[in-house]
Amino acid sequence: MTSHSNSGAPRRFPVVIVGAGPAGLTVGNILRAAGVDCLVLEAETRAFIEQRPRAGVIEEWAVRGLQRRGLADTLLARAQLHTECEFRFAGERFRFGYGELTGQHHFVYPQPLLVTDLVHEYADARGGEIRFGVQDVRLHDLETSRPSVSYTDADTGERQLVECEFVAGCDGARGVSRTVLPETTHIARHDYGIGWLALLAEAPPSSDCVLFGIHPNGFAGHMARSPEVTRYYLECPPGDDPENWSHDRIWAELHQRLGADGTPPLTEGPLIEKRVLDMHNYVVEPMTYGRLFLAGDSAHLTAPIAAKGMNLALHDAFLLGDALVAHLGKDDGSGLDGYSEACLRRVWDYQEFSQWLSEVYHGTSSGDEYRAGTTFARLRRLFTSPAAAAAFAEQYLGTAAAY
Ligand SMILES: Cc1cc2nc3c(=O)[nH]c(=O)nc-3n(C[C@H](O)[C@H](O)[C@H](O)COP(=O)(O)OP(=O)(O)OC[C@H]3O[C@@H](n4cnc5c(N)ncnc54)[C@H](O)[C@@H]3O)c2cc1C
């Protein structure tokens, strides 16, 4: 094997996890709970990942999965429960009570709080090893039974080499794991051709549920994050410059796109995040290469249209963590063999839902009368057909009996 280290003999761990997001930290926690040693390598600092704002809506099955693994105590004590969402279009409001239909709900818990809980549990409670601020992570010999990972240590500036049996590639959409896949790996991509201005407002939520504004000017969304902070979205051209959106323009558009008869005005506040996301998805198939197993956004990106990405990251992490524990404990290797296929069934289902929902959100603002007409047909069906309502609730909550 080639030497990739300039600081002595390589260390050895059964599993190296690249990335300390929800996927990587959940895998790490599952391994540590089973007494399996692992090393997490994270490019950013601990303070940074504990504050990076992103997701907030978590599905009930995902929370129960965390709970079963002893990872949801704080979440269960602090998260809000949501049982309804509201569509606003043609100047009217339409409440959709999915909790009543299914008996299930969403948990609203900001991603940075979940990451904080998971890091604390992994590093402080379960004694897991983690290196923050690592640079230039490289994966080696993945197609052999003795892969390794090298990186530049943040403190010493020296290259370190870690030998292992498996590498979990949990390094998100811009990580290194996906870049080492061979050309035979399929990466299916979908570009919606739409941008969203993603905003965080230091303002209390203006409704007790998620709001979807379907408006000829473009989609607008409202999602509570905490009693003091609300996430808003505004559809905009892809690649738009956030600086084109002044404070006044943003609030004027939010009021207009989310306005409906009989609703109080939105509560305004300072905007503490303002960035443009270009809506695109991809799916890597298979999610494995030799001893490398991808999990979360490194394997599949789901634009925040349907609030599914973190849920899928957790689903992958549960399957991968359990399969690694079973394999390394010599109980059973079949979980690793079937890992990619088992993940991808739910991934593709969520991708399809995201595409369906995108048309509902963006059809009326497309400038195409035909798409606007079919968008309204979809919305009317949701509120007139119990079968359509049940199907939507199942996809919105991710509660299908099988994927
Ligand atoms: C605005 C917004 C809103 C969203 N809302 C929702 C929602 O409501 N519900 C939902 O389910 N999802 C939502 N998502 C998606 C969700 O945030 C992601 O799907 C989720 O973060 C994926 O988790 P992950 O662990 O796979 O990746 P990440 O959270 O991206 O974690 C990957 C980690 O790897 C690290 N890393 C990257 N490269 C390297 C490297 N080379 N070496 C070492 N470390 C590296 C990164 O710093 C990061 O900490 C939203 C996303 C955005 C942007």
Side-chain angles (χ1 to χ4, degrees), residues 19 22-23 42-43 52 54-55 57 111 171 233 297 307-311:
E42 167 58 49
R52 181 169 44 198
R54 278 188 185 168
V57 181
Q111 183 168 335
D171 45 355
Y233 294 114
D297 279 9
K308 295 293 194 187
M310 187 164 76
N311 290 283

Side-chain angles (χ1 to χ4, degrees), residues 4 16-19 39-44 131-140 148-153 159-160 162 167-169 171 175-177 179-180 292:
H4 306 285
V16 173
I17 299 168
V18 187
L39 172 68
V40 176
L41 298 175
E42 167 58 49
E44 303 288 353
R131 299 281 177 279
F132 291 102
V134 300
Q135 288 173 9
D136 195 12
V137 172
R138 292 188 204 171
L139 315 183
H140 314 281
S148 59
V149 179
S150 63
Y151 63 96
T152 302
D153 187 86
R159 291 296 294 168
Q160 302 287 338
V162 186
V167 180
D171 45 355
V176 66
S177 301
T179 66
V180 303
L292 170 67

Side-chain angles (χ1 to χ4, degrees), residues 34 73 118 122 129 134 177 180 191 193 225 236 249 276-277 280 309 323 345 364 379:
D73 290 354
L118 292 173
Y122 174 77
E129 289 215 34
V134 300
S177 301
V180 303
D191 187 347
R225 281 296 185 257
C236 65
R249 182 182 175 204
V276 170
L277 306 173
H280 66 104
R345 284 196 294 269
T364 41
L379 285 166

Side-chain angles (χ1 to χ4, degrees), residues 23-213:
L25 291 166
T26 302
V27 172
N29 271 297
I30 294 172
L31 295 177
R32 288 303 305 141
V36 175
D37 278 339
C38 53
L39 172 68
V40 176
L41 298 175
E42 167 58 49
E44 303 288 353
T45 64
R46 182 168 180 167
F48 181 88
I49 64 164
E50 289 182 345
Q51 283 170 20
R52 181 169 44 198
R54 278 188 185 168
V57 181
I58 316 181
E59 294 170 359
E60 185 161 353
W61 61 264
V63 172
R64 300 298 168 213
L66 290 167
Q67 188 181 15
R68 275 197 298 282
R69 291 162 177 89
L71 299 172
D73 290 354
T74 317
L75 185 161
L76 289 169
R78 295 177 60 184
Q80 299 169 33
L81 303 187
H82 278 205
T83 57
E84 296 184 315
C85 58
E86 186 171 302
F87 292 85
R88 294 185 174 179
F89 57 96
E92 290 188 61
R93 62 199 294 199
F94 299 85
R95 278 257 158 164
F96 187 82
Y98 53 85
E100 212 173 297
L101 273 176
T102 62
Q104 296 224 10
H105 49 259
H106 282 122
F107 288 80
V108 174
Y109 193 61
Q111 183 168 335
L113 296 187
L114 180 64
V115 167
T116 301
D117 298 347
L118 292 173
V119 177
H120 170 71
E121 186 63 28
Y122 174 77
D124 306 334
R126 300 188 186 185
E129 289 215 34
I130 186 163
R131 299 281 177 279
F132 291 102
V134 300
Q135 288 173 9
D136 195 12
V137 172
R138 292 188 204 171
L139 315 183
H140 314 281
D141 304 317
L142 295 166
E143 62 289 351
T144 73
S145 58
R146 296 196 66 192
S148 59
V149 179
S150 63
Y151 63 96
T152 302
D153 187 86
D155 297 329
T156 63
E158 292 191 336
R159 291 296 294 168
Q160 302 287 338
L161 180 68
V162 186
E163 294 175 349
C164 57
E165 289 179 54
F166 295 99
V167 180
C170 306
D171 45 355
R174 295 190 185 83
V176 66
S177 301
R178 207 171 57 263
T179 66
V180 303
L181 297 173
E183 280 183 7
T184 47
T185 309
H186 296 276
I187 305 186
R189 299 177 195 277
H190 179 66
D191 187 347
Y192 291 95
I194 283 163
W196 275 14
L197 187 66
L199 304 156
L200 275 179
E202 239 167 25
S206 297
S207 165
D208 58 356
C209 72
V210 169
L211 304 178
F212 304 120

Side-chain angles (χ1 to χ4, degrees), residues 304-385:
I305 289 171
K308 295 293 194 187
M310 187 164 76
N311 290 283
L312 287 174
L314 292 173
H315 183 251
D316 294 352
F318 297 153
L319 294 183
L320 182 56
D322 292 349
L324 284 169
V325 168
H327 182 86
L328 292 164
K330 312 282 183 240
D331 293 343
D332 179 15
S334 61
L336 283 180
D337 294 340
Y339 167 72
S340 177
E341 204 189 327
C343 295
L344 286 169
R345 284 196 294 269
R346 189 182 282 264
V347 168
W348 277 115
D349 191 89
Y350 282 26
Q351 292 280 336
E352 191 281 330
F353 180 59
S354 176
Q355 207 183 23
W356 184 92
L357 201 56
S358 172
E359 192 56 20
V360 171
Y361 289 168
H362 307 118
T364 41
S365 55
S366 65
D368 178 334
E369 287 177 11
Y370 183 86
R371 285 178 61 191
T374 52
T375 292
F376 283 125
R378 284 184 183 189
L379 285 166
R380 275 195 305 275
R381 191 185 304 136
L382 212 51
F383 292 95
T384 53
S385 158

